[in-house]
Amino acid sequence: MREFLVFQSLWAMQDHRGQCDLPLEAQLEKIAAAGFDGITDHFWVAQHAERLHAAAKAQGLQIEGQVFPRTVDDLAAAIDVASRYGCHHLTLQADVRPRTLKQAIELIEGWQHLAEQVDFPVLLETHRYRLTSDLLFTLDILAEMPDLKLLADLSHYVVGRELPDPATAEDDEQIQTILRHSWGFHGRVANGEQVQVPLSFAQHRPWLERFLGWWRYGIEDWLARPNTPDSLSFTCELGPPPYAITGADGRDITDRWAEALMLKQLMREVWSDCQRRPRDGH
């Protein structure tokens, strides 16, 4: 029986100062007590990975490791650390901006060769100011590399391309193509002008519903695939300012922790609904 795991980002635990008053172990205790299945954090420095692994294991939490490679050697070093301590999967924010498909594909192929040597998934994240920054460029990569496994953070394409509301058929098909190649998700809701809007505000409900529909599509597609892993992860990644919208005092205008709990519940409902529905297409 395949599982749906909801993680909480440790970056999202930071406040308007870029800090969290709780020590790492207390953060993980709070996250586990709230019913999350795991956490997302940087995972390439051995000392930090060792502490994170110990704290997560003590709370029964899994780890999504984040790395920011620029070269094949960067990822090799990160994989060495991740293999030492273990993780649910590694997410790559590829910190390069190649101008040609050839340059991008050569680098990704090197990363894929490394990924084939470990027993956890290595996923390329869709993200602004990264190799996957542009939606159309990423679609061109997928056309050349149909087996490439992505981690979908759709918010970056919504705000990066200023997607309109209501949606166009072309926009939805392009996003669905990303989702058909995705093996995990990072979750926040954007609109065409802002990367992270408050989930609980009525004016953002159409965008919340749109994202929930996309994530549902991605889950249904994942469930219909052969030979998927035992679990699919979704990270609640409601980031601190400047991702979070702030008031005149520089502080969040909503309670991001409360909204993370709301998002966790919404996504578990989506998963349960997908489990009940026949998988005869989208």
Side-chain angles (χ1 to χ4, degrees):
M1 185 68 176
R2 288 174 290 183
E3 294 182 288
F4 185 62
L5 305 179
V6 184
F7 291 10
Q8 167 68 357
S9 166
L10 292 191
W11 172 63
M13 300 296 285
Q14 296 178 9
D15 61 17
H16 62 287
R17 303 167 299 170
Q19 302 174 18
C20 181
D21 290 334
L22 296 174
L24 176 66
E25 289 77 10
Q27 290 180 57
L28 268 60
E29 183 178 0
K30 178 178 180 178
I31 288 166
F36 288 95
D37 302 299
I39 49 92
T40 296
D41 198 22
H42 297 177
F43 207 63
W44 69 88
V45 176
Q47 185 176 4
H48 177 70
E50 182 179 17
R51 182 183 178 191
L52 189 67
H53 167 74
K57 185 177 180 181
Q59 298 295 333
L61 296 171
Q62 299 204 49
I63 295 172
E64 174 190 39
Q66 285 183 309
V67 298
F68 301 78
R70 295 178 176 175
T71 66
V72 174
D73 287 344
D74 285 349
L75 182 58
I79 281 180
D80 179 65
V81 171
S83 298
R84 206 178 312 166
Y85 298 105
C87 62
H88 184 268
H89 64 279
L90 273 188
T91 294
L92 313 186
Q93 280 197 27
D95 191 14
V96 289
R97 286 147 288 280
R99 297 291 298 272
T100 68
L101 277 180
K102 183 176 183 292
Q103 291 173 322
I105 289 171
E106 285 178 354
L107 184 55
I108 296 169
E109 285 177 340
W111 288 334
Q112 283 187 315
H113 178 68
L114 292 173
E116 291 168 358
Q117 301 173 40
V118 294
D119 60 1
F120 49 81
V122 178
L123 310 177
L124 183 65
E125 182 174 356
T126 62
H127 203 289
R128 286 172 300 157
Y129 203 60
R130 299 290 183 255
L131 182 149
T132 53
S133 179
D134 183 73
L135 173 60
L136 299 185
F137 186 74
T138 304
L139 293 174
D140 287 343
I141 292 172
L142 292 175
E144 298 294 325
M145 306 182 73
D147 295 329
L148 179 61
K149 294 182 177 181
L150 299 179
L151 185 291
D153 186 336
L154 302 177
S155 66
H156 294 288
Y157 290 149
V158 170
V159 71
R161 295 189 65 80
E162 293 193 74
L163 294 191
D165 185 38
T168 70
E170 180 182 39
D171 291 334
D172 269 343
E173 173 53 35
Q174 290 172 348
I175 293 294
Q176 288 169 359
T177 300
I178 295 294
L179 290 166
R180 289 194 294 272
H181 291 82
S182 295
W183 296 76
F185 309 97
H186 280 183
R188 78 175 62 83
V189 172
N191 63 25
E193 312 304 330
Q194 296 162 318
V195 74
Q196 181 174 294
V197 298
L199 301 178
S200 54
F201 287 12
Q203 65 266 34
H204 302 313
R205 187 73 194 187
W207 280 102
L208 174 60
E209 294 295 339
R210 190 165 169 186
F211 271 79
L212 290 173
W214 282 333
W215 291 324
R216 178 188 299 276
Y217 180 95
I219 289 171
E220 289 177 343
D221 190 84
W222 184 88
L223 286 168
R225 297 172 199 167
N227 303 318
T228 52
D230 293 334
S231 56
L232 175 67
S233 71
F234 179 98
T235 294
C236 296
E237 197 183 34
L238 305 182
Y243 268 62
I245 299 172
T246 56
D249 60 358
R251 296 173 181 265
D252 298 41
I253 59 174
T254 56
D255 182 337
R256 277 185 291 116
W257 174 252
E259 293 206 326
L261 298 180
M262 171 186 170
L263 184 56
K264 171 170 65 70
Q265 180 60 33
L266 287 171
M267 289 308 300
R268 286 193 171 146
E269 291 170 2
V270 169
W271 171 263
S272 294
D273 189 44
C274 290
Q275 292 287 92
R276 290 190 295 266
R277 295 174 62 181
R279 291 172 209 141
D280 55 356
H282 302 293

